[in-house]
């Protein structure tokens, strides 16, 4: 399955607007889908605040955002974070990265029609994914690899470029490494 959020058209947030100030405290000036913004900007403005069941939603690895019940954005989800609102209640936000054309999950979902539901958040049935190693095995959406296939894919790439693990380790140990990698957090 994949988690789907059905977005409305762009609307403004802030003092004096109908929606009021950003309840997340993120200082967003708008939410909803903006056709003039790229997918990353739309995702960032709409990744929360949602009522999600963390025990169910946190198992999903793909989230889609639809407009008019047509999927426009697909993201690889790392998790769901709780956001405490000023009144003390907790809503949820998606944490992840937007997928680009050429990614199998992006290409599979973008443009597909999702059913109309009363609530803006629902789960798409039958959206199983393939193992990332390329073996062709279909997985439940909560997984990215058949057990052990991540190691198989890693070792294949090490063999292709360095020949042996020892050669890879020798090469790696001679490379400069920054103390902090923001893209790995």
């Amino acid at each position: 399955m994949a988690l789907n959020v059905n977005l409305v058209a762009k609307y403004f947030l802030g003092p004096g607007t109908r929606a009021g100030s950003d309840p997340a405290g993120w200082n967003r000036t708008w939410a909803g889908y903006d056709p003039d913004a790229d997918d990353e900007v739309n995702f960032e403005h709409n990744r929360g605040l949602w009522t999600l069941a963390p025990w169910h939603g946190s198992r999903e690895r793909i989230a889609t955002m639809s407009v008019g019940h047509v999927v426009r954005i697909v993201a690889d989800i790392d998790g769901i974070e709780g956001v405490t609102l000023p009144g003390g209640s907790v809503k949820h936000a998606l944490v992840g990265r937007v997928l680009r054309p050429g990614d199998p999950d992006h290409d599979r979902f973008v443009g597909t029609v999702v059913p109309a539901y009363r609530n803006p958040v629902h789960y798409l049935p039958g959206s199983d994914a393939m193992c990332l190693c390329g073996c062709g095995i279909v997985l439940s959406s909560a997984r990215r690899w058949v057990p052990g296939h991540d190691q198989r894919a890693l070792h294949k790439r090490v063999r292709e470029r360095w020949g042996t693990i020892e050669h890879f380790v020798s090469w790696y140990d001679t490379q400069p490494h920054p103390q902090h990698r923001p893209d790995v957090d």
Side-chain angles (χ1 to χ4, degrees):
M1 283 193 280
L3 173 89
N4 181 71
V5 177
N6 196 44
L7 303 176
V8 297
K10 178 181 176 179
Y11 59 94
F12 292 96
L13 298 169
T17 64
R18 187 174 145 204
S21 295
D22 183 1
W26 296 341
N27 297 318
R28 295 178 293 178
T29 57
W30 60 273
Y33 184 74
D34 180 353
D36 296 323
D38 65 28
D39 290 349
E40 286 80 6
V41 171
N42 270 303
F43 179 79
E44 191 57 36
H45 279 261
N46 293 290
R47 65 184 194 87
L49 300 167
W50 303 104
T51 301
L52 302 173
W55 59 88
H56 185 46
S58 63
R59 294 185 311 210
E60 303 305 327
R61 76 169 188 87
I62 297 293
T64 62
M65 291 183 171
S66 56
V67 180
H69 305 290
V70 176
V71 174
R72 306 278 186 202
I73 301 167
V74 180
D76 185 26
I77 300 303
D78 297 322
I80 295 174
E81 65 181 343
V83 179
T84 304
L85 302 179
S89 63
V90 176
K91 294 271 188 166
H92 300 96
L94 305 170
V95 178
R97 66 178 178 82
V98 172
L99 300 177
R100 308 300 313 151
D103 180 276
D105 288 316
H106 173 278
D107 296 349
R108 180 168 46 137
F109 285 110
V110 168
T112 61
V113 176
V114 296
Y117 289 95
R118 179 177 165 195
N119 295 320
V121 177
H122 61 277
Y123 300 90
L124 302 177
S127 55
D128 294 333
M130 303 288 249
C131 178
L132 292 178
C133 83
C135 68
I137 295 176
V138 177
L139 305 165
S140 66
S141 62
R143 303 194 74 124
R144 295 167 193 235
W145 306 91
V146 169
H149 285 209
D150 54 341
Q151 290 297 310
R152 181 185 298 179
L154 178 62
H155 283 274
K156 177 182 179 214
R157 284 154 180 82
V158 166
R159 275 192 315 275
E160 287 173 357
R161 180 148 183 202
W162 293 279
T164 66
I165 296 292
E166 292 80 10
H167 287 119
F168 167 75
V169 170
S170 294
W171 170 83
Y172 184 86
D173 288 346
T174 64
Q175 301 303 304
H177 299 289
Q179 293 300 103
H180 174 71
R181 290 200 39 207
D183 61 319
V184 178
D185 288 341

